[in-house]
Amino acid sequence: MISVISVPARRRTPPWFGREARRALAAGLAVAALALGAGWPYWRGHPAAAAVTLGCCAGIAAQGVLLATGGRTRRTGLLFLAASVCWAVNWLASWDAYAGPILSPYAQAGFFLALGVGVLMYPDGRLEYTADRIWTVLAVLILMGGPTALWVTSEPEWAAFHGSTVWWPAPFPDAGAFETALRASAALYVFLALSFAAVLLLRLPRMGRFKRLLTLPVTAALAFVGLSAALTQRPVMEPSIALADLLHVYAVQGAVATLIPCTLLASGLRLRIAELTVAGRMLRLTAPVTVERVRAALRDVLRDPTLELWFWAPAERAYVDASGRPADLTGSGAARVAGSGASRLAGSGRAEPGDRWRRTVRADDGGPLAVVEFGGALRDHASLVEAALAAGGRALETARLQAAVHANLERVRAAYGRLVRAEAAERERLARDLHDGAQQRLLALGAMLGTLEAVTTDPAVKRHTAGCRRELMTALAELRALAREVRPALLVQDGLGPALEVAAERIGVRVVLDVPTGRLPPDRESALYGLLCETLSYAVERAGATRVTVCVRPSGPRLVAEVGLDGEIPVGPAADLAGRVGALRGHLEIDGGPGTGTTVRMVLPCE
């Protein structure tokens, strides 16, 4: 038997030189060739200016093609590509013949217009703000109206062109009007550059933090290019200028414009470096792994303080938050994230109300793992989000287990809360039944015995009847005391303070109360009353306290109750209290020790 083993095809290009990179290189070379041909009369004597200008045209064209491959940056990329072509066409003025001189100022205007609008659209692909749209309209009017006013009112010799074949249809040549148009155009160009810088500065505070970090270098570079162009354009706005001087100004502007592709490249490298370093940062920030650390690490790495995280709890068949409480994520439209090894990103999320964005992470077995919600600004940096979620895949798995434990504890707390509410309702029902049922019957029986004692003439019957009445009144008093223990009437009618005063009188030691007069939710009031009564009982019976202080005060969304005593509560009762307080989503703190007294501090949520 003959086995045929296929040899992998040998790559002719490095892996980073893909289809997009080849297209960008081809576009850059094509535009550079166009610029070389357009400015050949000038380049022959100025090779350094030629190298800089051709590099500028090629760089902007290549950046435009690369940006055009992205969904949201497509328009910016096309505008940058158009700007590079305009700057190449601008050099037709060097031939001093045919339509080149009249096309050159329009191409120069188109270059700066396309660059400006392209940066205003970067990286969202649209003009987001009203100021951006107003500046765009003004730029079209000024940059296209200026060249029109110049050639309409001038002869070609006045604009540095002396070629015999120059096509220059000047319908209204007038030296005075031409000079006025020059001065007005120069002033308007400076105004346009300054207003562009102001628009860029106004946009920065309204951007997200990560978007600001990426666009700030490009914004600063183009603002500098615009101001430099406006200032270097002033010598051109003279009634007579030599063609060599005009082309020298163009070369200076082209050299300054090379900042645009350089800053775009720097921003792209910065994003790629952030993607490469995200794995190490996630591992460092999540050690040791906790739910809170994973969320904080994602917020730090992605520079999004509003990021939210929910984990899948299999027992509840629902997503839960960091504390284990179920979360309602219906209608989220989250994108899917499939995992193999570390969790991988797949798909793209869609916009959420309030410009939020969600992605769903799936575990290695394909089951749901977590849902992450980001600010809308991160939609433009899906590759960074992918790197962060992939790097944090194992940490998310571990945190999910902790979230499941929290969810189970939350379920126990919810069950205990329902038990507390049911217990309070049952106590109220039992107290009402004792008051309306057994007590009324005993009172009626006492009245009947009183009537029998009054009407009988038999001394023995009268004596036994009086004894029965005394025993009946004793039983009735004990029944009333039991009813007060089950559900104190003062707690229902007047609140926690008066009910604790009655409870404090019965324990036989001095108790100082500091309780607010306001009412609490009935279930919280009943639960806190039971906890404080139990603590007072432990203080007297187990700790042997002779003086007790009780202080209850609200603290934001929580309620704080402190019991101070001159004794020490044993470990067993303290653990019992801690369990009951924890089941109510609160926590218990016990400070002090032998000889110093003890302070029991209970913190409970008010909801």
Side-chain angles (χ1 to χ4, degrees), residues 1-96:
M1 182 178 66
I2 301 175
S3 299
V4 179
I5 303 176
S6 60
V7 179
R10 185 175 181 180
R11 293 187 63 94
R12 297 183 178 180
T13 59
W16 52 266
F17 193 64
R19 179 180 301 176
E20 292 81 6
R22 291 195 295 271
R23 288 178 179 175
L25 179 60
L29 292 176
V31 175
L34 177 62
L36 179 64
W40 180 249
Y42 184 72
W43 304 139
R44 287 180 298 181
H46 303 83
V52 172
T53 302
L54 298 183
C56 173
C57 291
I60 295 177
Q63 287 287 346
V65 172
L66 291 176
L67 288 173
T69 59
R72 299 175 68 84
T73 58
R74 177 177 176 79
R75 293 180 180 177
T76 296
L78 294 177
L79 285 171
F80 276 28
L81 183 59
S84 66
V85 174
C86 286
W87 193 245
V89 173
N90 174 59
W91 287 94
L92 287 174
S94 66
W95 288 92
D96 195 14

Side-chain angles (χ1 to χ4, degrees), residues 460-504:
V461 173
K462 189 181 289 290
R463 187 172 60 255
H464 286 295
T465 302
C468 289
R469 285 190 63 204
R470 288 193 298 273
E471 293 296 329
L472 185 61
M473 291 300 105
T474 301
L476 184 60
E478 293 178 352
L479 187 60
R480 285 173 175 168
L482 177 61
R484 285 195 300 269
E485 291 289 338
V486 170
R487 182 69 172 175
L490 282 176
L491 181 63
V492 178
Q493 298 172 4
D494 301 330
L496 185 63
L500 284 177
E501 290 179 3
V502 174

Side-chain angles (χ1 to χ4, degrees), residues 365-575:
D365 58 0
L369 176 60
V371 169
V372 191
E373 184 179 84
F374 314 92
L378 282 174
R379 199 188 319 274
D380 303 316
H381 311 291
S383 58
L384 182 64
V385 173
E386 177 179 356
L389 293 181
R394 293 302 181 192
L396 287 171
E397 290 273 8
T398 304
R400 195 267 296 271
L401 298 177
Q402 296 183 5
V405 173
H406 292 168
N408 292 335
L409 181 59
E410 182 65 24
R411 185 168 53 180
V412 172
R413 288 172 174 171
Y416 185 78
R418 291 193 297 270
L419 181 61
V420 168
R421 290 189 292 272
E423 180 183 0
E426 187 62 22
R427 282 175 175 269
E428 186 174 354
R429 185 194 64 78
L430 182 57
R432 186 173 57 251
D433 290 347
L434 289 175
H435 180 272
D436 298 339
Q439 290 187 52
Q440 298 303 321
R441 290 189 179 89
L442 290 177
L443 286 174
L445 181 57
M448 293 171 61
L449 289 174
T451 302
L452 178 60
E453 182 182 3
V455 299
T456 185
T457 57
D458 188 339
V461 173
K462 189 181 289 290
R463 187 172 60 255
H464 286 295
T465 302
C468 289
R469 285 190 63 204
R470 288 193 298 273
E471 293 296 329
L472 185 61
M473 291 300 105
T474 301
L476 184 60
E478 293 178 352
L479 187 60
R480 285 173 175 168
L482 177 61
R484 285 195 300 269
E485 291 289 338
V486 170
R487 182 69 172 175
L490 282 176
L491 181 63
V492 178
Q493 298 172 4
D494 301 330
L496 185 63
L500 284 177
E501 290 179 3
V502 174
E505 291 175 358
R506 295 199 302 266
I507 66 173
V509 299
R510 182 184 176 188
V511 179
V512 179
L513 296 176
D514 181 10
V515 182
T517 57
R519 299 301 300 268
L520 301 173
D523 56 336
R524 291 294 164 188
E525 199 171 54
S526 177
L528 185 57
Y529 174 79
L531 287 170
L532 290 175
C533 287
E534 188 173 355
T535 305
L536 291 175
S537 175
Y538 288 150
V540 175
E541 298 177 3
R542 301 292 187 91
T546 58
R547 187 177 184 276
V548 182
T549 60
V550 178
C551 176
V552 179
R553 65 181 185 277
S555 178
R558 296 186 173 273
L559 191 67
V560 180
E562 290 186 354
V563 179
L565 57 137
D566 55 350
E568 182 182 6
I569 296 181
V571 175

Side-chain angles (χ1 to χ4, degrees), residues 93-163:
S94 66
W95 288 92
D96 195 14
Y98 304 110
I102 203 169
L103 289 177
S104 176
Y106 285 105
Q108 183 193 35
F111 170 73
F112 289 109
L113 179 62
L115 275 184
V117 178
V119 168
L120 292 180
M121 286 187 171
Y122 178 79
D124 295 325
R126 66 182 187 276
L127 297 174
E128 292 186 87
Y129 309 112
T130 304
D132 299 349
R133 293 187 283 271
I134 293 175
W135 185 89
T136 301
V137 174
L138 290 176
V140 171
L141 295 176
I142 293 173
L143 291 177
M144 295 302 169
T148 303
L150 294 180
W151 67 258
V152 166
T153 60
S154 70
E155 295 288 351
E157 294 80 8
W158 302 350
F161 302 109
H162 300 82

